[in-house]
Structures are given as C-alpha cells and as structure tokens.
Amino acid sequence: MSFRRVVYTVVTVCVVVVLAGLAWVWRPAISPISANAKPAFDRKAINRGAELALIGNCSDCHTKEGGAAYAGGRSIPTPFGTIYASNLTPDPDTGIGTWSEEAFGRAMHEGVDREGRQLYPAFPYDHFTHATKDDIHALYAYFMSLTPVRSTIPANELNFPFNYRPLVAGWKLLFLSRGNLAPDASKSADWNRGRYLVEGLGHCGSCHTPRNALGGEKKDSAYTGGVAEGWNAPPLNASLVAGHHWTVDQLAEYLSSGWHQLHGAAAGPMADVTKNLGQASKEDVHAMAVYIASLSGAGNETPKASPALVDAGNAANARPEIVAIYNGACAKCHNDRNTVGPSKALPLSLSTAIHQPEATNTVQVILNGIQSYRADGGPYMPAFDGMLTDDQIAALAQYVRTRYSGQPPWTDVRAMIAKARQQGAQP
Ligand code: HEC
Ligand code: HEC
Ligand code: HEC
C-alpha cells in the first residue's frame, strides 16, 4: 500500500470513529413546555413526590447553605473539580420550568438534560435510573408544584478534559446500568421494597460503596465503606465495624431519628440523610432497614464488643496531660458506666468511628462536634476545634482509639486533622 493510501485509510477510519462516537453521544433536545401550559397534578402525586424527594436526599445537594429550598447552587467537590447542583424549582429561565415530564424522566434515568447535554454523575442518576415511572411522575409533580425561584447556577469548575461533557457518555457505558431491578421472589415484600429504595432513590451506595479512579462504584465491593465530604461512610455489609451488630429495629430508629442508644449519632453527611428520612414514610424507612440489615446478616443481636470495654493497658502510655483533658472535657458525657445522659453520648467503646481503620470520623467529630437538627433535643457534642491544638486532638484521638477499641493506634492522624481543618475553612 502506498503511503498516501495508508494516510487516507487512517484518516477515514478516524472520521468514522469520531462520527460514530458523536452519533452515540448525541441526544436530542426535548421541546420546552410553555410556562402557561404548566401541567396540573393531583395532591396525592405531589405529596408522594415530596416523600420520595426526602428519601432521595435531593435537598441536600440542591439547596445552598442559606439559599431557597431546591434553588440549587451548592458546590459539590469531586476529585475532578467542583460541580454546582442545578435549580430544581420550576423557574422557566434558571430552573426546570420548561421541562416536560419526559425531559425530567430522561434526566433521572439517563443523566441527560432537556437540551440533550450529558449530566455529570455527581448527580446520582446511576441510582435514580432504577426509579419507576410512577415515582418519577410523583417527583415531577412535586418539583413543578414548588414556587419558582430565580437562581442562576455558577459554571462548573472542572479540570481538562473533564470539563468536556460528552466524555460522560463513555463513563455511562462503563458504570450506568439502566432499568428496573427485578424483584427477588425468595425475599419478603419489605426486603424488595427496601432494596428498590436503597439501591434507587436512596442512593446509599453512592457514599457507602468505594469508587474507582474514574469515580464509578466498585460493584464487587458494594457497601464495604466509601468516602463522603471528608468523612468515611462505614461498611454496611458483613465487614461492619460498629461496636454492635445492627438489627432491623435499630436501623429503622437510627435512620429516622439520627441516633440509637447502642450505636450513637448520625454525624457529618449522614445527619442530612437521617434528617430527611425522619420526615419520610415510616413504612418506607422500615423497608430500607430490612434490606440494609440483610446486607450484614441481620438478626444477630450479640454485641461484637462488650459495651464497657476499657483497655486501660493499651492506653497506659498516654501522656498525663491528655488523660486530664479526656477526664475534664470528654468523660462527663462519655462515661464508662453505659448510662446515656441528656447529651445522648454513649460509652466510646460503642462508637463506630473509633473502630474504623482510619481516624477520619473521630477527628471530624472532635473538631466539629455534633449539632442536633432536632427540636426535641437530639444528640449534642461541642466542637473542640478552637479549644484544642492539633497535637492535643491527635493525642486524644489515639487515646480513645487504644483505650476503647482495643486496636492498634492509627497512622497519619496529624495529616488528617490538617486536611479536615482546611476543608472546614472552605466556604
Ligand atoms: C449528591 C448530590 C445530588 C443529589 C442527592 C441529587 N442531585 Fe440532582 N444534581 C446534582 C448535580 C451536581 C447536578 C448537576 C449535574 C451537572 O451539571 O451535570 C444535578 C442535576 C439534576 C437535574 C438536572 C437539572 C438541570 O437543569 O440540568 C435534575 C432533574 C436533578 N438533579 C434532580 C434530582 C432529584 C429529583 C434528586 C432527588 C431524588 C436529586 N437530583 C438529588 C446533584 C445531586
Ligand atoms: C452523603 C453520603 C451518605 C449517604 C447518601 C448515606 N450515608 Fe450513611 N453514612 C455516611 C457517613 C459519613 C456515615 C458516618 C457517620 C458518623 O460517623 O456518624 C454514615 C453512617 C451510616 C450508618 C451507621 C453505620 C455504623 O455502623 O455506625 C448507617 C446504618 C448508614 N449510614 C445507613 C445509610 C443508609 C441506609 C443510607 C441511604 C438511605 C445512607 N446511609 C446514605 C454517609 C452517607
Ligand atoms: C456535651 C457532651 C459531650 C462532650 C463534652 C463530648 N462528647 Fe463526644 N459525643 C457526644 C454525643 C452526644 C455523641 C453522639 C453519640 C455517641 O456516639 O456517643 C458523641 C460522639 C463522639 C464520638 C463518636 C462518633 C461516631 O460517629 O462514632 C467520639 C469519637 C467522641 N464523641 C469523642 C469525644 C471526645 C474525644 C470528647 C472530648 C474532647 C468528647 N467526645 C466530648 C457528646 C459529647
């Protein structure tokens, strides 16, 4: 073959590949609906949609701190840069006011916006894709019934080449498996309902499952624990690190109230999840608990650790100054007698955070404390970030780790504190 023929063939092949790629990435725009032609919905669909939005934690990402509900603009940090969540109110210019139900459904199921642009999977449509048409209808009815709020969303700040949206189509080929989940006839109706909600709108795995370098969930390690906003989301399967096994009832109580007397409080990003689930239907939350409990082999009530486990031997090397800080600043709430005071603090031997292989959550809790979102007096712990030095916090974390978990000290605690402080300083 002559050189010209070779060049010609290579160029033709490239053009065909690029055109095929574009054809495959391309999605048509869906015609806008006019603001006057806003569809009417019955109250039942709207109410159901409101509950599903709570289960989907939509407000957490789509509401900016201090901003109007669902008006978007919250920044979502990702390893590839910052993405801003959209305005979900029916404003025709800056929200979804001109979106038909078909366009909304396509966004939820396929991650494509009304105009046909690829959406980034920071929007967890790899889970929402499992939602039924009825549930999409209810969610659409709910969002279209909200008062429109004008709120222009800042442009994403993504590194090259991730700022090129069509690339997301390749990501989907690898990590988006669409379609409804086939019911498992060998399991109860509750379990199937729970799985539908947890795997779908609840998107629990988006934090509790580890991700690969491309940001896809590692399905073969589902629920072995992941990361979220500077916190570790602990395992929910058989590799559970909680001081106690979780029963269905314990999970249902924790998920709907944000606290359980044998497991402690939902802190960090989990607090937003439980705050929303607390307003969702009790039956749905119970079904989710049935499914989650089954992941770790439910029903085993035997505590993994004895509640009052105190390994004074392991902690004997602690500096007297640190023991004094613990006794003065921590022990009045976290006592070893297994009694829960008004702050709702538990003996630390029950804490999941101190049993985790990394100090992350313990450091976050000591720095930021726990602010209850409940009007009826939920768990409260003060923030110690301004009271203790990094060195004291690191030593305290190691002290509670060795004293109450019976496990070897953590590594890199100082680096973790620096990282958490830096993250906390961001707007
Ligand atoms: C973990 C954060 C997160 C959660 C939870 C979340 N979203 Fe989003 N959503 C996003 C982000 C980020 C975008 C913008 C993606 C982009 O720009 O490509 C988005 C975009 C969307 C869009 C496309 C809007 C547009 O104008 O392009 C819709 C529709 C949407 N979300 C609906 C929902 C609904 C309904 C829920 C709850 C069931 C929900 N989202 C929960 C982060 C989230
Ligand atoms: C935005 C991220 C995120 C989402 C979404 C999320 N979680 Fe969590 N979850 C966390 C983090 C972080 C923790 C650790 C909180 C702590 O230390 O108090 C946690 C803790 C938990 C715990 C306590 C585990 C233990 O052993 O102590 C349970 C149970 C749990 N989550 C269940 C769920 C369920 C069910 C869902 C879905 C409805 C869910 N989570 C969705 C981040 C998340
Ligand atoms: C005003 C009471 C109060 C004080 C003081 C307090 N805590 Fe807490 N702490 C709580 C509550 C409430 C929780 C949530 C329930 C639980 O897990 O015990 C908590 C949780 C924790 C957790 C577990 C987090 C998890 O998700 O597993 C750790 C670790 C912790 N505290 C360490 C400390 C340390 C170290 C000090 C002293 C510097 C301290 N606390 C002081 C009330 C307090």
Side-chain angles (χ1 to χ4, degrees), residues 55 57 60 198 202-204 206-208 228-229 231-236 240-242 246 251 254-255 263 265-270 273 277 288 292 352-353 356 361 365:
I55 288 174
N57 208 20
D60 188 20
V198 164
H203 70 278
C204 313
S206 74
C207 293
H208 288 275
E229 298 163 39
W231 289 70
N232 278 346
L236 298 177
L240 216 64
V241 290
W246 286 94
L251 276 164
Y254 172 89
L255 291 175
H263 295 279
M270 191 61 202
V273 175
L277 290 179
M288 291 165 92
I292 294 286
T352 298
Q356 284 182 302
N361 290 6
V365 165

Side-chain angles (χ1 to χ4, degrees), residues 44-55:
K44 235 175 100 187
I46 294 174
N47 291 346
R48 183 74 199 125
E51 285 207 37
L52 292 169
L54 291 166
I55 288 174

